[in-house]
Amino acid sequence: MTDVVVALDVGGTGIKCALVDRDGVSHHTERHPTGAGQGAEAVIGNILGIAEGLAGKALADGLTPVAVGIAVPGVIDEDTGTAVWSANLGFRDVPLRDLVAARLGLPAALGHDVRTGGAAEARLGSGRGSRQVLFVAIGTGIAAAHLVDGTALAGAHGAAGEIGHVVVRPGGPACGCGQFGCLEAVASAAAVGRHYTELAGVPATAADVATQLGRDDLADRVWRETVDALADGLVIAQALFDVERVVLGGGLAEAGERLLEPLRVALRQRLTFHREPQLVTAALGDEAGCLGAALLALDALPATDAVPALDNVEAP
Ligand SMILES: [Zn+2]
């Protein structure tokens, strides 16, 4: 029987799920609504029920479920398996890891969505081959994960990597966090759409702006300002982390070279003594969080069950 882990990536609107074997191959995927509108208790109930259903599905398919990995947004204490705070899900100090482990009778692990997605990119996606990777997710918000040898550094309180709340435009647009001019408030995919809509007076998304580049002066202007802000943020990150490779994910990264090419130039203009990181886009798309949750579950297995196949990063 093939061993699989039950992986769940819990988002504000949907839960992506998979059964993943020790080689990182998905045997089954499912999607469910999160049900966040019904409150935290309902979301917890949904997560437990879905995880149990997936373990049952594995057994029915002749697979052996051996562990559970769950990725959630917000502030996550991975050591205690606690969802400390999550605005989208209404979580406050939810001991989710232990709840899942008790319900399924399997070892479980809890991780932060961007850190688990980053770990998947570092080990299975665009970060492969680099020991020091910064994964930056640019979507509705902006968040990052610093991966060293495929493992995300969570910080003392589970809140590392909040590059979206580095102030790059003092006195700039208000941010949801309470500050003004945060990177997220000026350069997230949501901010790009908002900025263009304000200037042009017609509703537009970041994807619309990207397709208008070279044909629409306003789109060019918004994009240039976005690239400049991102470069300002990345040069701070590079000063702090000195990574080998920066992997850009999230909706804005779908612009590909239209984003990467000017961003490389803008970054180069700002770097002085720092070493220039390679700038690439993510490879795993919206499956990264789920695969990362699976890696977390595999990592949580006893050492004798180590999974060398997934650890493609060479030991020092
Ligand atoms: Zn902020």
Side-chain angles (χ1 to χ4, degrees), residues 12-78:
T13 54
I15 303 178
K16 295 166 206 139
C17 319
L19 296 171
V20 180
D21 70 20
R22 290 172 183 269
D23 293 323
V25 177
S26 285
H27 286 252
H28 172 74
T29 59
E30 289 179 14
R31 287 188 183 221
H32 299 268
T34 306
Q38 293 147 35
E41 287 301 321
V43 174
I44 294 165
N46 286 342
I47 291 170
L48 296 176
I50 290 166
E52 198 169 46
L54 281 159
K57 166 74 180 161
L59 290 169
D61 288 354
L63 305 164
T64 307
V66 292
V68 187
I70 299 180
V72 293
V75 178
I76 308 304
D77 185 333
E78 274 119 350

Side-chain angles (χ1 to χ4, degrees), residues 164-165 175-179 182 184:
H165 302 288
C175 181
C177 76
Q179 296 193 97
C182 289
E184 176 172 306

Side-chain angles (χ1 to χ4, degrees), residues 230-311:
L230 286 173
D232 288 338
L234 286 180
V235 80
I236 292 169
Q238 189 62 359
L240 293 174
F241 303 126
D242 181 31
V243 295
E244 189 181 357
R245 196 175 298 175
V246 174
V247 178
L248 300 182
L252 205 68
E254 284 167 21
E257 283 300 318
R258 282 171 295 171
L259 176 65
L260 290 186
E261 202 190 316
L263 190 51
R264 282 191 196 105
V265 173
L267 191 55
R268 213 166 283 152
Q269 287 167 345
R270 288 162 172 78
L271 297 171
T272 57
F273 63 91
H274 328 76
R275 295 290 294 272
E276 183 180 342
Q278 299 163 7
L279 213 54
V280 298
T281 50
L284 303 174
D286 71 353
E287 285 181 42
C290 207
L291 283 170
L295 291 175
L296 210 61
L298 291 166
D299 288 347
L301 290 172
T304 48
D305 281 352
V307 279
L310 285 174
D311 260 325

